[in-house]
Amino acid sequence: SEPVRVALPVVAHGSGDGAGGLLPSSALAAAWQPATQGAPAPPRLRIAWLGVKNETVSSVCSSAEDVQYYCEWYRALRDSPEVDLSVTDLLNPDDTPRTGPLSADAILLPHHCTVNVPRLPVCFVKVRSDDPPLVVMLNKMFEGVRAKMSTLHRHRQQVALIVAATPTLRQYEQSSGVRAAFLPYGVSPRFGIHANASMEYTHDLGFTGGYQRFNPRYPMRGQAFSRNNTNRMRERGVRIFAPNHMLKAEEYIRAIATSKLWFATSEVGEHASTRFYEVLFSGRCMLVCNRDLAAYAPLGFVEGKHMAMFGSPQEFEAKVYYYLSHEEERMTMVRNAREFVLSHHMWKHRAAEFVASVRLALANRSLANQRRLRRR
C-alpha cells in the first residue's frame, strides 16, 4: 500500500546542547522535505525496537487479539511501508556483548523502557557509544517525571528524539535537552467491527473504569461517576454498565458497541487515552469526557461536533439525560467522530507521523554534527 504522507510543520524549538542541539527551522526545512507526488520515496527507515530478554515484543504481542497500545504500536511500525522493523536485545545471538555498532538508522526504546523510573537506565546499559541514535517513547508519565528526564539528560548525546502522547512537551525538552515530538495514541480497525452492525443497545451509559473510579490520577471521574450520581440516574431509568473488573478485548469492544454513551476522562498530563479513540471509532456510541481542551484541541476534535464534554458532575449528568433523549444529535456526532478518526487517528497515521518525526530528528542531528565539524 502507499505510505501515508505527513507534512509536519517545521518549528524552531530553541537551542540545546550536545547531540540534542536544535537547529533553526530554515536549516531543518532544507535538510528534510516530505515526499511529494512524483518524487522518489526516501529509503525505508531501519528501526531496531529494543526488547528485553524473555520479554520480546514479538512474544508478548503474539496474539492478534491483544489491543494494548504497546502491541498496537509495534504492529503499526511493523506493517508500515516506510519502515524496516527489527527487534533486538542489543546482544549477539549467543548473548555475548557486541563488538561493533548495531546496523540501523535508529534504535527505538519503546514504552516498556519508561514504564517506571528504574527501567529506563537499564535500557541504556547495552547501548554502545557508536550505536545509531536513540528514539525514546515515553510511557504514560504519571510518576517519576523528574527522574526519567534526568536519565535522558545524562544520555542526551545519544538520544535524537523523545516522543510522548501529551502535547505539553516544552518541559520535557527543557529538562532533558532533547527534541520532543507530540505523538498521540491511535486505534485499531478492530474497534469498528460493530460500527455498521444492527446490534441492540443493552445499556445507555457505559464505563469500564468503575473498579478504580476514585484513582487520584482522574480527579473528575470519582466525582462524576460517584455512587450517588449513578444511583440517581438508575432511578430515572438510565441503564448503566460499570463492571468491577477489567474486560477482555472482545468483551470491551462489544460493551462499547452496545452502549449509547460511553464515559471517559482525560489523563494527567493533558493527554487523551487510548479509550478516547476507541470509543469515537466504534460508530455506536458517543464519548462524554471532561472539558480538557489542552488534551483534545491539538487532535482536531470539536465539542458538539465530535463529542459532548462536561466540566462538572452536574453537567455530566445533564448531558447524559439530554443526549439519551436527542438521538439525532447524538448520532450526528457519532458519524462525525468516526469519519474524523478514520481519516486522522488510526495507528497507520501514527506510524507515518512517527517516521516523519524521526527523519526530521535524524536530519537535525546530522546537520548539528556537520556544523560542529566545520567549527573545528
Side-chain angles (χ1 to χ4, degrees):
S1 59
E2 286 298 315
V4 178
R5 296 297 176 195
V6 178
L8 293 181
V10 181
V11 180
H13 287 261
S15 60
D17 59 354
L22 304 175
L23 296 181
S25 57
S26 57
L28 292 177
W32 180 87
Q33 291 290 343
T36 56
Q37 188 172 5
R44 290 163 69 96
L45 196 63
R46 298 174 301 155
I47 299 291
W49 179 295
L50 178 61
V52 179
K53 194 68 177 175
N54 299 323
E55 292 184 28
T56 60
V57 69
S58 53
S59 62
V60 173
C61 304
S62 58
S63 172
E65 302 299 307
D66 196 323
V67 291
Q68 296 182 67
Y69 68 89
Y70 176 87
C71 298
E72 295 287 12
W73 254 121
Y74 169 72
R75 295 188 191 104
L77 294 178
R78 179 197 64 190
D79 298 339
S80 170
E82 298 184 87
V83 175
D84 278 328
L85 185 67
S86 61
V87 179
T88 179
D89 60 5
L90 295 180
L91 293 172
N92 289 322
D94 60 357
D95 289 344
T96 59
R98 293 175 293 121
T99 57
L102 193 71
S103 179
D105 295 315
I107 299 174
L108 174 60
L109 274 57
H111 300 91
H112 72 75
C113 285
T114 55
V115 70
N116 56 44
V117 171
R119 197 73 176 264
L120 185 55
V122 173
C123 287
F124 282 102
V125 167
K126 289 176 281 192
V127 175
R128 292 169 51 93
S129 60
D130 57 353
D131 270 334
L134 306 179
V135 176
V136 179
M137 278 186 170
L138 299 182
N139 205 328
K140 297 179 178 180
M141 298 295 282
F142 295 141
E143 299 153 350
V145 175
R146 181 177 297 179
K148 293 173 184 177
M149 291 299 108
S150 177
T151 299
L152 290 172
H153 188 266
R154 289 197 302 273
H155 295 276
R156 66 189 182 278
Q157 298 289 345
Q158 288 183 278
V159 180
L161 181 70
I162 56 179
V163 295
T166 171
T168 53
L169 300 172
R170 175 63 66 179
Q171 69 175 95
Y172 295 159
E173 291 191 331
Q174 291 177 339
S175 56
S176 70
V178 180
R179 182 183 179 87
F182 175 40
L183 201 66
Y185 300 118
V187 63
S188 164
R190 290 190 60 218
F191 283 87
I193 59 176
H194 300 303
N196 299 314
S198 179
M199 298 180 67
E200 178 185 0
Y201 287 124
T202 56
H203 300 96
D204 298 310
L205 175 65
F207 174 48
T208 50
Y211 62 96
Q212 54 173 1
R213 73 185 73 191
F214 297 110
N215 190 319
R217 293 172 180 168
Y218 317 96
M220 182 70 71
R221 180 158 79 183
Q223 301 172 42
F225 219 78
S226 68
R227 286 183 174 83
N228 285 340
N229 277 13
T230 54
N231 287 340
R232 184 167 52 251
M233 287 189 285
R234 285 191 172 103
E235 290 173 359
R236 294 186 59 175
V238 179
R239 299 169 298 171
I240 299 177
F241 175 76
N244 58 5
H245 62 279
M246 292 187 68
L247 300 181
K248 294 181 179 179
E250 185 51 45
E251 293 174 329
Y252 171 51
I253 292 171
R254 187 174 181 84
I256 294 176
T258 54
S259 301
K260 292 182 180 180
L261 306 177
W262 199 267
F263 175 90
T265 59
S266 60
E267 299 188 351
V268 173
E270 278 96 24
H271 85 266
S273 68
T274 53
R275 180 178 289 115
F276 181 83
Y277 307 95
E278 293 160 358
V279 174
L280 293 180
F281 186 60
S282 70
R284 294 288 289 176
C285 31
M286 176 196 66
L287 176 67
V288 179
C289 58
N290 56 312
R291 191 175 286 105
D292 187 352
L293 296 181
Y296 305 127
L299 301 170
F301 291 104
V302 178
E303 180 178 6
K305 179 178 181 180
H306 303 110
M307 70 195 74
M309 294 185 181
F310 64 87
S312 68
Q314 296 75 23
E315 187 182 7
F316 162 66
E317 190 173 347
K319 290 287 179 71
V320 169
Y321 298 139
Y322 180 85
Y323 284 108
L324 287 178
S325 61
H326 292 76
E327 183 173 1
E328 185 175 347
E329 286 187 47
R330 187 181 79 243
M331 294 310 297
T332 296
M333 283 197 290
V334 166
R335 289 188 292 270
N336 290 340
R338 176 171 164 76
E339 291 172 4
F340 190 70
V341 171
L342 185 62
S343 60
H344 293 84
H345 293 294
M346 306 302 289
W347 281 114
K348 68 177 182 180
H349 299 114
R350 296 293 98 91
E353 293 161 11
F354 173 80
V355 169
S357 294
V358 172
R359 290 193 192 279
L360 185 60
L362 294 180
N364 177 47
R365 185 182 180 89
S366 176
L367 284 171
N369 289 337
Q370 292 175 29
R371 185 171 63 180
R372 281 195 295 270
L373 287 174
R374 286 197 299 268
R375 288 177 175 174
R376 289 180 180 176

